[in-house]
Amino acid sequence: MMKNYYIQLFSPHGLIRFHQAEIGRDKDTGGQVKYVLELLEALSKHPQVRKVDLFTRRITDKRVSASYSQPIEIVNEKARIVRVDCGGQLYKEKEQLWDHLDEFINNTIRFNEDEDDYPDVLHGHYADGNYIACELSKIFALPLIATGHSLGRNKKRILLSQGWEEKKVNDRFNMQRRIDEEEKVIANADIVIVSTQHEVDTQYQDYSGRSQANFMVIPRV
């Protein structure tokens, strides 16, 4: 019998809504947001997917649309955006969310319990979403898929080459914590999705778990 999957995607930062998405509004609402919204819709059309939810952060802030405060946005009959409370109500840069991601995890668990429905697969995006998905995969013993989008070691190398001091890089971008969590995700993920082999050879070259990671190249179109 063909299995029908419930997939949960995690992308906590930025302003995420499906209808009238504000792509490019700020530095945290760019290509990754477009990617996860397109992935959400595409997965919902797959015959072996019974349901797919994209989990992001709920925001109640007069500086942004009230739509970001809605707990659930229906995309179609199989897809939703689920907004989870994490780190207060105001909109924050992604670098400011690290200390609040365990709250996001706890509230996601509570959401699953309230719905009495649990995923078959977890898919994290970027370092923060991958941290959430990785921790949940340990708790529920579920398969973990990780997509980095961009990586901390590469960004740190670029900033240092531009004259930034290492302490400033770590303080401003929570860089060391990001890199540490990226290392853990690479070591634990069942699949690490990349767009090209070049991404494996360059962005992941300095990560200790690279040689053991199960990379899958899925080009962006």
mmCIF file of all heavy atoms in Angstrom, residues 18 37-52 75-79:
data_model
loop_
_atom_site.group_PDB
_atom_site.id
_atom_site.type_symbol
_atom_site.label_atom_id
_atom_site.label_comp_id
_atom_site.label_asym_id
_atom_site.label_seq_id
_atom_site.Cartn_x
_atom_site.Cartn_y
_atom_site.Cartn_z
ATOM 1 N N PHE A 18 1.685 33.291 2.231
ATOM 2 C CA PHE A 18 1.559 32.766 0.870
ATOM 3 C C PHE A 18 0.870 33.772 -0.047
ATOM 4 O O PHE A 18 1.320 34.013 -1.165
ATOM 5 C CB PHE A 18 0.784 31.449 0.872
ATOM 6 C CG PHE A 18 0.782 30.760 -0.459
ATOM 7 C CD1 PHE A 18 1.863 29.999 -0.866
ATOM 8 C CD2 PHE A 18 -0.295 30.892 -1.323
ATOM 9 C CE1 PHE A 18 1.874 29.372 -2.103
ATOM 10 C CE2 PHE A 18 -0.299 30.274 -2.566
ATOM 11 C CZ PHE A 18 0.792 29.509 -2.952
ATOM 12 N N LEU A 37 8.049 28.759 0.089
ATOM 13 C CA LEU A 37 6.654 28.894 -0.332
ATOM 14 C C LEU A 37 6.388 28.061 -1.588
ATOM 15 O O LEU A 37 5.347 27.403 -1.689
ATOM 16 C CB LEU A 37 6.314 30.359 -0.588
ATOM 17 C CG LEU A 37 6.222 31.251 0.649
ATOM 18 C CD1 LEU A 37 6.026 32.713 0.238
ATOM 19 C CD2 LEU A 37 5.108 30.807 1.590
ATOM 20 N N GLU A 38 7.319 28.088 -2.521
ATOM 21 C CA GLU A 38 7.165 27.272 -3.728
ATOM 22 C C GLU A 38 7.247 25.783 -3.399
ATOM 23 O O GLU A 38 6.513 24.969 -3.974
ATOM 24 C CB GLU A 38 8.229 27.660 -4.752
ATOM 25 C CG GLU A 38 8.007 29.042 -5.349
ATOM 26 C CD GLU A 38 9.092 29.449 -6.325
ATOM 27 O OE1 GLU A 38 10.116 28.741 -6.420
ATOM 28 O OE2 GLU A 38 8.916 30.490 -7.007
ATOM 29 N N LEU A 39 8.135 25.428 -2.469
ATOM 30 C CA LEU A 39 8.241 24.029 -2.054
ATOM 31 C C LEU A 39 6.960 23.564 -1.373
ATOM 32 O O LEU A 39 6.480 22.444 -1.630
ATOM 33 C CB LEU A 39 9.433 23.866 -1.100
ATOM 34 C CG LEU A 39 9.673 22.470 -0.530
ATOM 35 C CD1 LEU A 39 9.963 21.469 -1.638
ATOM 36 C CD2 LEU A 39 10.815 22.509 0.483
ATOM 37 N N LEU A 40 6.414 24.400 -0.514
ATOM 38 C CA LEU A 40 5.155 24.080 0.168
ATOM 39 C C LEU A 40 4.056 23.761 -0.842
ATOM 40 O O LEU A 40 3.378 22.730 -0.741
ATOM 41 C CB LEU A 40 4.746 25.271 1.043
ATOM 42 C CG LEU A 40 3.379 25.195 1.722
ATOM 43 C CD1 LEU A 40 3.368 24.144 2.822
ATOM 44 C CD2 LEU A 40 2.998 26.568 2.293
ATOM 45 N N GLU A 41 3.907 24.604 -1.820
ATOM 46 C CA GLU A 41 2.854 24.391 -2.820
ATOM 47 C C GLU A 41 3.133 23.157 -3.671
ATOM 48 O O GLU A 41 2.229 22.359 -3.939
ATOM 49 C CB GLU A 41 2.729 25.627 -3.708
ATOM 50 C CG GLU A 41 1.574 25.525 -4.697
ATOM 51 C CD GLU A 41 1.388 26.785 -5.522
ATOM 52 O OE1 GLU A 41 2.375 27.523 -5.735
ATOM 53 O OE2 GLU A 41 0.257 27.023 -5.963
ATOM 54 N N ALA A 42 4.400 22.979 -4.074
ATOM 55 C CA ALA A 42 4.741 21.831 -4.920
ATOM 56 C C ALA A 42 4.519 20.513 -4.189
ATOM 57 O O ALA A 42 3.971 19.557 -4.761
ATOM 58 C CB ALA A 42 6.195 21.944 -5.379
ATOM 59 N N LEU A 43 4.917 20.447 -2.934
ATOM 60 C CA LEU A 43 4.721 19.216 -2.159
ATOM 61 C C LEU A 43 3.241 18.901 -1.989
ATOM 62 O O LEU A 43 2.836 17.730 -2.003
ATOM 63 C CB LEU A 43 5.397 19.335 -0.796
ATOM 64 C CG LEU A 43 6.917 19.259 -0.777
ATOM 65 C CD1 LEU A 43 7.455 19.598 0.614
ATOM 66 C CD2 LEU A 43 7.411 17.874 -1.192
ATOM 67 N N SER A 44 2.430 19.933 -1.837
ATOM 68 C CA SER A 44 0.995 19.707 -1.644
ATOM 69 C C SER A 44 0.339 19.080 -2.865
ATOM 70 O O SER A 44 -0.731 18.479 -2.770
ATOM 71 C CB SER A 44 0.292 21.021 -1.292
ATOM 72 O OG SER A 44 0.189 21.875 -2.422
ATOM 73 N N LYS A 45 0.998 19.211 -4.023
ATOM 74 C CA LYS A 45 0.450 18.646 -5.259
ATOM 75 C C LYS A 45 0.924 17.221 -5.517
ATOM 76 O O LYS A 45 0.472 16.574 -6.464
ATOM 77 C CB LYS A 45 0.826 19.542 -6.442
ATOM 78 C CG LYS A 45 0.199 20.932 -6.372
ATOM 79 C CD LYS A 45 0.675 21.814 -7.517
ATOM 80 C CE LYS A 45 0.050 23.198 -7.431
ATOM 81 N NZ LYS A 45 0.541 24.099 -8.519
ATOM 82 N N HIS A 46 1.841 16.741 -4.673
ATOM 83 C CA HIS A 46 2.367 15.384 -4.872
ATOM 84 C C HIS A 46 1.344 14.366 -4.373
ATOM 85 O O HIS A 46 0.801 14.502 -3.277
ATOM 86 C CB HIS A 46 3.680 15.216 -4.117
ATOM 87 C CG HIS A 46 4.466 14.017 -4.549
ATOM 88 N ND1 HIS A 46 4.100 12.731 -4.210
ATOM 89 C CD2 HIS A 46 5.576 13.909 -5.309
ATOM 90 C CE1 HIS A 46 4.961 11.876 -4.728
ATOM 91 N NE2 HIS A 46 5.877 12.567 -5.403
ATOM 92 N N PRO A 47 1.079 13.327 -5.150
ATOM 93 C CA PRO A 47 0.034 12.366 -4.771
ATOM 94 C C PRO A 47 0.329 11.596 -3.479
ATOM 95 O O PRO A 47 -0.597 11.093 -2.844
ATOM 96 C CB PRO A 47 -0.044 11.420 -5.970
ATOM 97 C CG PRO A 47 1.249 11.593 -6.693
ATOM 98 C CD PRO A 47 1.654 13.010 -6.477
ATOM 99 N N GLN A 48 1.607 11.486 -3.086
ATOM 100 C CA GLN A 48 1.942 10.754 -1.871
ATOM 101 C C GLN A 48 2.031 11.646 -0.636
ATOM 102 O O GLN A 48 2.401 11.177 0.436
ATOM 103 C CB GLN A 48 3.255 9.989 -2.046
ATOM 104 C CG GLN A 48 3.113 8.727 -2.866
ATOM 105 C CD GLN A 48 4.398 7.930 -2.888
ATOM 106 O OE1 GLN A 48 5.137 7.937 -3.872
ATOM 107 N NE2 GLN A 48 4.674 7.235 -1.808
ATOM 108 N N VAL A 49 1.689 12.902 -0.777
ATOM 109 C CA VAL A 49 1.653 13.827 0.366
ATOM 110 C C VAL A 49 0.203 14.059 0.759
ATOM 111 O O VAL A 49 -0.596 14.530 -0.044
ATOM 112 C CB VAL A 49 2.338 15.168 0.019
ATOM 113 C CG1 VAL A 49 2.152 16.177 1.148
ATOM 114 C CG2 VAL A 49 3.824 14.948 -0.254
ATOM 115 N N ARG A 50 -0.117 13.682 1.999
ATOM 116 C CA ARG A 50 -1.492 13.905 2.473
ATOM 117 C C ARG A 50 -1.651 15.288 3.097
ATOM 118 O O ARG A 50 -2.735 15.859 3.111
ATOM 119 C CB ARG A 50 -1.917 12.829 3.474
ATOM 120 C CG ARG A 50 -1.235 12.862 4.821
ATOM 121 C CD ARG A 50 -1.865 11.845 5.770
ATOM 122 N NE ARG A 50 -1.172 11.773 7.047
ATOM 123 C CZ ARG A 50 -1.437 12.548 8.098
ATOM 124 N NH1 ARG A 50 -2.381 13.475 8.013
ATOM 125 N NH2 ARG A 50 -0.768 12.397 9.226
ATOM 126 N N LYS A 51 -0.520 15.832 3.607
ATOM 127 C CA LYS A 51 -0.571 17.159 4.233
ATOM 128 C C LYS A 51 0.844 17.699 4.338
ATOM 129 O O LYS A 51 1.791 16.949 4.567
ATOM 130 C CB LYS A 51 -1.207 17.067 5.628
ATOM 131 C CG LYS A 51 -1.366 18.426 6.316
ATOM 132 C CD LYS A 51 -2.331 18.344 7.495
ATOM 133 C CE LYS A 51 -1.773 17.581 8.662
ATOM 134 N NZ LYS A 51 -2.621 17.709 9.877
ATOM 135 N N VAL A 52 0.993 19.015 4.177
ATOM 136 C CA VAL A 52 2.288 19.652 4.369
ATOM 137 C C VAL A 52 2.068 21.004 5.048
ATOM 138 O O VAL A 52 1.218 21.792 4.626
ATOM 139 C CB VAL A 52 3.064 19.800 3.035
ATOM 140 C CG1 VAL A 52 2.262 20.539 1.979
ATOM 141 C CG2 VAL A 52 4.409 20.476 3.269
ATOM 142 N N VAL A 75 -3.349 27.492 2.623
ATOM 143 C CA VAL A 75 -2.830 27.689 1.273
ATOM 144 C C VAL A 75 -3.700 26.946 0.264
ATOM 145 O O VAL A 75 -4.118 27.500 -0.750
ATOM 146 C CB VAL A 75 -1.368 27.223 1.179
ATOM 147 C CG1 VAL A 75 -0.855 27.282 -0.260
ATOM 148 C CG2 VAL A 75 -0.488 28.085 2.095
ATOM 149 N N ASN A 76 -3.960 25.693 0.556
ATOM 150 C CA ASN A 76 -4.892 24.898 -0.236
ATOM 151 C C ASN A 76 -5.375 23.741 0.641
ATOM 152 O O ASN A 76 -5.095 23.730 1.843
ATOM 153 C CB ASN A 76 -4.266 24.404 -1.559
ATOM 154 C CG ASN A 76 -3.014 23.567 -1.346
ATOM 155 O OD1 ASN A 76 -2.979 22.691 -0.474
ATOM 156 N ND2 ASN A 76 -1.978 23.832 -2.136
ATOM 157 N N GLU A 77 -6.052 22.785 0.062
ATOM 158 C CA GLU A 77 -6.671 21.738 0.886
ATOM 159 C C GLU A 77 -5.645 20.843 1.591
ATOM 160 O O GLU A 77 -5.986 20.164 2.562
ATOM 161 C CB GLU A 77 -7.613 20.885 0.040
ATOM 162 C CG GLU A 77 -6.921 20.138 -1.093
ATOM 163 C CD GLU A 77 -7.884 19.320 -1.924
ATOM 164 O OE1 GLU A 77 -9.111 19.445 -1.717
ATOM 165 O OE2 GLU A 77 -7.412 18.549 -2.771
ATOM 166 N N LYS A 78 -4.387 20.872 1.155
ATOM 167 C CA LYS A 78 -3.376 20.029 1.786
ATOM 168 C C LYS A 78 -2.227 20.823 2.406
ATOM 169 O O LYS A 78 -1.361 20.234 3.058
ATOM 170 C CB LYS A 78 -2.794 19.027 0.775
ATOM 171 C CG LYS A 78 -3.788 17.980 0.303
ATOM 172 C CD LYS A 78 -3.091 16.731 -0.237
ATOM 173 C CE LYS A 78 -2.223 16.984 -1.428
ATOM 174 N NZ LYS A 78 -1.643 15.752 -1.998
ATOM 175 N N ALA A 79 -2.199 22.128 2.231
ATOM 176 C CA ALA A 79 -1.052 22.926 2.681
ATOM 177 C C ALA A 79 -1.485 24.093 3.566
ATOM 178 O O ALA A 79 -2.493 24.757 3.288
ATOM 179 C CB ALA A 79 -0.273 23.458 1.480
#
